[in-house]
Amino acid sequence: MARDAFEDIVETFEFLDDWEDRYRHVIDMGKAMDPLEDSFRVPATKVEGCASQVWLVPEIEGEGPGAVFRFRGDSDAMIVRGLIAILVSLYSGLSVAEVTKVDAPAELKRLGLDEHLSSQRSNGLRAMIERIRLLAEKAAA
């Protein structure tokens, strides 16, 4: 399920030749996400290592390695909200065991993001991916 959503993004990016169009598309994806309630904007859900404020909230159904991984997130930066939307499409709906096997850098490279994000944004993206992996590993244990 989630993989289909990510593949749709890949296809859209292939159609959008211009990086400015892709950038706008990422921002639009972020705008389309529901904002996190203030009650979830707490230190426990905050991702350290991001230049922007970022919160990720896991929603895991079931127990053990087969538990289904979903999460919601938010940021005070529109481009980062869009990056969260991309990560949701990449990971949500997978089992927690599958989440830990996703080669996120390779998948995201298909979108060409690595070439266009600032080093601060790239570091923040890596921090979000690491948080997602840790949440999944914890749920799988």
Side-chain angles (χ1 to χ4, degrees):
M1 180 192 80
R3 300 299 303 177
D4 291 342
F6 184 76
E7 292 305 324
D8 288 347
I9 296 169
V10 171
E11 285 179 26
T12 301
F13 269 57
E14 287 170 358
F15 176 75
L16 299 170
D17 302 331
D18 182 44
W19 172 247
E20 291 298 317
D21 291 338
R22 290 179 177 188
Y23 194 82
R24 272 192 293 280
H25 183 65
V26 171
I27 289 173
D28 288 343
M29 289 171 55
K31 286 179 180 173
M33 281 194 328
D34 290 331
L36 269 186
E37 298 85 2
D38 287 341
S39 60
F40 289 117
R41 294 171 178 252
V42 295
T45 62
K46 191 164 189 256
V47 178
E48 298 301 325
C50 297
S52 311
Q53 303 268 356
V54 176
W55 300 270
L56 297 179
V57 178
E59 296 173 340
I60 296 165
E61 299 168 25
E63 292 184 17
V68 177
F69 186 84
R70 288 191 176 74
F71 74 96
R72 295 184 306 137
D74 207 345
S75 174
D76 59 352
M78 289 314 294
I79 186 69
V80 177
R81 280 182 59 96
L83 294 174
I84 293 167
I86 289 172
L87 293 176
V88 166
S89 75
L90 183 61
Y91 289 110
S92 280
L94 299 177
S95 73
V96 291
E98 290 170 322
V99 167
T100 62
K101 294 181 175 92
V102 171
D103 184 351
E107 292 295 334
L108 296 173
K109 192 174 184 76
R110 296 170 59 201
L111 302 177
L113 292 175
D114 52 331
E115 301 162 28
H116 296 282
L117 293 177
S118 68
S119 60
Q120 270 190 321
R121 291 273 183 256
S122 293
N123 288 340
L125 186 57
R126 275 193 295 278
M128 288 189 282
I129 291 166
E130 186 58 27
R131 171 64 69 90
I132 290 165
R133 289 180 59 85
L134 290 171
L135 291 168
E137 286 170 6
K138 187 175 168 188

